[in-house]
Amino acid sequence: GAGVSQSPSNKVTEKGKDVELRCDPISGHTALYWYRQSLGQGLEFLIYFQGNSAPDKSGLPSDRFSAERTGGSVSTLTIQRTQQEDSAVYLCASSQRTSGGPDTQYFGPGTRLTVL
Amino acid sequence: GQNIDQPTEMTATEGAIVQINCTYQTSGFNGLFWYQQHAGEAPTFLSYNVLDGLEEKGRFSSFLSRSKGYSYLLLKELQMKDSASYLCAVMDSNYQLIWGAGTKLIIKP
């Protein structure tokens, strides 16, 4: 596709349930990022995938959060036993980053998660 | 620790000029990005600076001083559609982006 896509756009769930959020990056982009943004706040880094390398999970807030990226393309962020504090917009971004040099991240529209 | 500081909110008048400042303290520096984010939407890329000086792109310009750990985004001929949050982000020595909390810009007619 032309841009990064995410699904669902909105997700309402009950406390304690598991949720899965999906991200389709721009074709050919080797790097994929997940961020979380609470209302009126900046972006909080969660996890980063680069090619076939082991992901950088340093931003995951707890072991309830996990992510995988299959075939170097689509990624799924899973939150187990959701809590009300998990409510936020979850943003995915991708870039053409090669080893080293900086480049531009392009964002998807986000998934708004509400935990009741 | 790593830190990006930018004002929380600014107000400006349609047709005027506004400067949004960003100061940073990071572990290394590999470039500074400015993104625009309209309410309820994803951030979109505006500019990238890695060398000192001014980068101009239409009505928007971005300035960087690495020695001062300082950047600004300059918006000219403000339009109502420029009402948005402006995010400053610095790429550190590990090539990870460190994000500021964003500056909410309110444009008044």
Side-chain angles (χ1 to χ4, degrees), chain A residues 52-93:
Chain A
N52 296 321
S53 302
D56 177 354
K57 304 179 181 180
S58 61
L60 294 179
S62 78
D63 58 7
R64 296 186 296 105
F65 288 71
S66 63
E68 62 178 24
R69 188 179 185 193
T70 54
S73 181
V74 172
S75 177
T76 302
L77 177 69
T78 301
I79 309 173
Q80 296 178 310
R81 305 181 302 282
T82 52
Q83 303 294 314
Q84 289 183 331
E85 61 262 29
D86 299 334
S87 296
V89 175
Y90 289 80
L91 291 163
C92 174

Side-chain angles (χ1 to χ4, degrees), chain A:
Chain A
V4 179
S5 61
Q6 293 185 244
S7 61
S9 55
N10 279 284
K11 177 71 177 179
V12 180
T13 190
E14 293 180 348
K15 178 181 174 181
K17 300 283 189 182
D18 298 352
V19 295
E20 281 191 355
L21 313 179
R22 177 187 168 104
C23 172
D24 280 274
I26 293 173
S27 178
H29 278 193
T30 58
L32 187 147
Y33 305 79
W34 283 99
Y35 294 93
R36 177 168 72 174
Q37 187 175 33
S38 300
L39 188 64
Q41 302 297 311
L43 276 69
E44 176 188 2
F45 167 76
L46 297 177
I47 189 169
Y48 156 63
F49 296 89
Q50 169 62 33
N52 296 321
S53 302
D56 177 354
K57 304 179 181 180
S58 61
L60 294 179
S62 78
D63 58 7
R64 296 186 296 105
F65 288 71
S66 63
E68 62 178 24
R69 188 179 185 193
T70 54
S73 181
V74 172
S75 177
T76 302
L77 177 69
T78 301
I79 309 173
Q80 296 178 310
R81 305 181 302 282
T82 52
Q83 303 294 314
Q84 289 183 331
E85 61 262 29
D86 299 334
S87 296
V89 175
Y90 289 80
L91 291 163
C92 174
S94 71
S95 71
Q96 281 184 313
R97 184 164 134 178
T98 54
S99 59
D103 64 355
T104 303
Q105 295 181 20
Y106 296 89
F107 285 82
T111 294
R112 182 174 299 278
L113 174 66
T114 304
V115 181
L116 301 176

